[in-house]
Amino acid sequence: MHSETPYEITPATRYGDPYYRPATARQPVILPAEIPPGVDWVTLPSGVRTLAYTHPATPPPAIPVSQPIPAWAKTTALLAPTVGGGIAAAGIGLSYAAPGLIAMSHALWSAAALIVAAVTAIPLLIRTARRATGSRGAGPTHITQNITATGLFGRANGTINHH
């Protein structure tokens, strides 16, 4: 009997058979647009090319580019020695002026003590002088003042009496 079949029937083989040659399987074709991200073609050490997961390529480290020095940094750098020199000059000047400043501070303390003594002594002298004249003459002077005004915003009139 002869039947028309589109395929050929081959006898079954075993894996242990030294003459076993499996039929080559046709690999499906993958278009480059269908390859997902992170997957790429790689060549194995045996020379076989296959798809495999790959690590994303790291970009090379950025080379630092020299930036121009800002104007404020230049100004600060130029002012630093000037300010330092001014402080040093002030320190030297104070060291030369120290004896005079010490003498001046002693003179100011003496002047302050003289002012305090005058402020306390003058009223005592005046009081003593009044007592001395008060025992010979009449009593103390009395001043009386009378002020009158009419209405809230009226003009005020006053009299002063000496007794």
Side-chain angles (χ1 to χ4, degrees):
M1 283 210 218
H2 190 292
S3 70
E4 303 258 340
T5 58
Y7 52 85
E8 180 180 328
I9 299 174
T10 57
T13 59
R14 296 173 294 149
Y15 286 103
D17 189 355
Y19 298 105
Y20 171 69
R21 301 193 201 280
T24 56
R26 260 196 115 159
Q27 298 290 330
V29 177
I30 298 178
L31 299 174
E34 295 175 347
I35 297 175
V39 175
D40 202 0
W41 286 102
V42 295
T43 304
L44 299 176
S46 63
V48 176
R49 286 186 48 111
T50 184
L51 288 173
Y53 288 105
T54 58
H55 295 288
T58 57
I63 298 172
V65 179
S66 63
Q67 299 291 328
I69 299 172
W72 65 266
K74 290 180 184 177
T75 305
T76 305
L78 291 173
L79 281 177
T82 306
V83 171
I87 292 171
I92 292 169
L94 283 175
S95 70
Y96 283 127
L101 291 174
I102 292 170
M104 193 182 309
S105 74
H106 289 305
L108 286 173
W109 280 113
S110 300
L114 181 63
I115 290 171
V116 169
V119 167
T120 56
I122 290 175
L124 289 173
L125 290 175
I126 291 173
R127 188 179 303 152
T128 306
R130 278 189 182 172
R131 284 186 186 162
T133 58
S135 62
R136 283 184 274 140
T141 305
H142 293 285
I143 298 175
T144 312
Q145 193 172 20
N146 296 321
I147 299 174
T148 58
T150 56
L152 182 61
F153 296 106
R155 187 174 183 148
N157 294 319
T159 57
I160 298 175
N161 299 321
H162 293 276
H163 298 290

